[in-house]
Amino acid sequence: MVPTSTPSQPVSLFRLDGTAPERELLVPLKDDQIVTDTDVDLSGTRARLIAGRFRTEAPQWLPHAASLTGAELALSSELPFAVLLVPRPPWTYAVTWGAGHLTLNDEHVEQGFGLLFGIRRLDPFDLGLVASAALDTSARATQTSIPGGGDLSAFRLEPYGELVNRLAGTADLADLTYGRVTGRRHRIRAGNAVWLPLAKDPAAFLADLDAVGAVVDEPDAHSALRFVAQTRPMDRHDRLVPVLEGRLAGSLGGAEDGALGLAWPATAMRDAEQAASFRITGLGPGGPFTVPGRLELGHLTDRLARIDVGDRLKAVRAGRIVPCADDAGEEDAGASIPVARWLVFEATIDHVRYVFHQGRWYRIGETYVRQLREQVAAMLARRFAWPPIPWVPTGTPDDEHAYCRQVAEESGFLCLDRDFASTPLHPRFELCDLLGPGDELVHVKWLGRATAASHLCTQALVSAEALAHEPEALAQLAAKAAPGRVIDRIPRTVVLAAAGRSWNIDELFTLTQVSLLRLDRAVRALQATLRFADIPYVPKPRRPTKPARRRRS
């Protein structure tokens, strides 16, 4: 018989670094914010209870609302909070009520603790919410809710490169007081914290904390959600971060301590693609400088090599890159973004891959990397025969277009580079650079660095998604470029043609491999096949840099 009153109450549970002094676990609080700060006894365990209120002042938008409506709005308020710190070595648990989570010092909060519990206890066939971000050049973030619950497949997560941040759904809580007493499941929320029912009785409450810790320490091999833990952001205080940052600093000066590359930030991708130059400021001594044309990794590492290795990471976080519309770097065409967000770096320690991406470190498990490489290597074996026309770089911005026009002189090829299509979802984009003899969609790129392949993938992915919804767009574009060319079906082949380097698994960053798998999935949805071509080429000379001119006021 189910009891009429539950022995537990849902709360938010965090896990904190148990080795840190207790005073450092919370953010500094003012005396007038605290109502209670006292030690409490939980069945023989000393815990600390802090409770109070945050007072919020009138919001900044209040005058605007008042001026529009003529209404007098008094919206300042108080946010009550309480937090209970419970030491259970080697951890300290924090139970929060109200705005209690705002009192925790994020530097000591275990990142992803709630997810580790959710992976092992959530029902993969009854999930209500999945929030994730793409670990690739797009940095796309999504949150999908299914109020009635659904299985994992309903959320359409990518099998690779999907960084899950939060989960919600029905969970098996048989390990806890709630599950043992009621015999029921409960809907929980899992992220950095886990929101779930904990016992009201002190002794049972402590037993529940220990049970949660035991669940987190269990193997996850049985769980359909275990892929969530394969790729995780690293805590800033992880013991390996100084080691990794030392390797990154060495690579920034030319040492081969890992794979270093240039990767455009998601917010700058369009601006960088169209930029005539890049202005770099704050990157160590020597003053600002301008890179005309294409930005290369060497432009940054040449400057960083002159900086002491211990100061290089400080320099890339302080330095800024701005895409510019003119060759002199005087006319801004995009936002000023830290240099650190333009870099990608990979290193392996004890069979685990670590990635520096968009200014943050991520851990990628060995199993994940092995499966990724196997699938991408099989994909790269699908080849497309390329005509024996070498790409000879001229150093001018229209190199790619000139080469495409040269290939278009071969029988069956049609140059569509710089011919833009338009669909309701994509107002202005390139469907492809060349149309092949069999109506293949051919995307052409000079891959000066391994990370450039990710941008080629993005271009091809946009094209594939657009054609899935607007299949007539290609026929219209081809008919305009070559009136005799008739296309009556969606192309069955998409080709990535690259110069500057070959399609070799050992030359591709992990994040680029993720992008390729994502593209392959989109192409297969069109009932088409992704193929690869190595363009014969002459190596490109290094582009010069020049001191930035003083900007016009």
Side-chain angles (χ1 to χ4, degrees), residues 18-35:
T19 64
E22 190 176 84
R23 66 181 180 275
E24 295 181 6
L25 299 180
L26 303 179
V27 298
L29 297 170
K30 299 177 181 177
D31 291 342
D32 61 356
Q33 294 175 324
I34 300 173
V35 173

Side-chain angles (χ1 to χ4, degrees), residues 41 57 68 124 195 251 366 379 383 450 463 469 532 542:
D41 182 87
E57 302 299 330
L68 289 175
W195 186 84
S251 292
E366 178 184 7
M379 187 194 315
R383 291 290 165 158
S463 170
H469 296 95
F532 299 84
R542 277 280 298 276

Side-chain angles (χ1 to χ4, degrees), residues 175-191:
D175 312 80
L176 306 182
T177 301
Y178 176 88
R180 290 196 306 272
V181 173
T182 68
R184 299 198 300 262
R185 297 188 168 208
H186 195 278
R187 293 187 76 80
I188 71 168
R189 298 192 295 268

Side-chain angles (χ1 to χ4, degrees), residues 197-209:
L198 296 179
K200 300 174 182 176
D201 174 76
F205 170 81
L206 293 176
D208 281 353
L209 292 186

Side-chain angles (χ1 to χ4, degrees), residues 9 18 49 145-146 154 157 197 211 369 398-399 403-404 427 463:
Q9 183 71 32
L49 175 67
S145 299
I146 301 179
L157 286 172
V369 174
D398 66 343
D399 257 358
Y403 181 72
C404 288
S463 170

Side-chain angles (χ1 to χ4, degrees), residues 487-501:
I487 300 176
D488 55 7
R489 62 185 177 88
I490 295 178
R492 294 288 178 255
T493 302
V494 175
V495 179
L496 300 186
R501 63 177 53 236

Side-chain angles (χ1 to χ4, degrees), residues 90 96 254 338 345 385 447 516 530 543:
T96 66
F345 176 76
L447 305 184
L516 284 171
L530 182 63
R543 286 183 176 274

Side-chain angles (χ1 to χ4, degrees), residues 296-309:
E296 303 282 354
L297 180 63
H299 294 135
L300 304 178
T301 55
D302 286 351
R303 170 65 66 91
L304 290 165
R306 303 201 297 266
I307 301 174
D308 183 79
V309 66

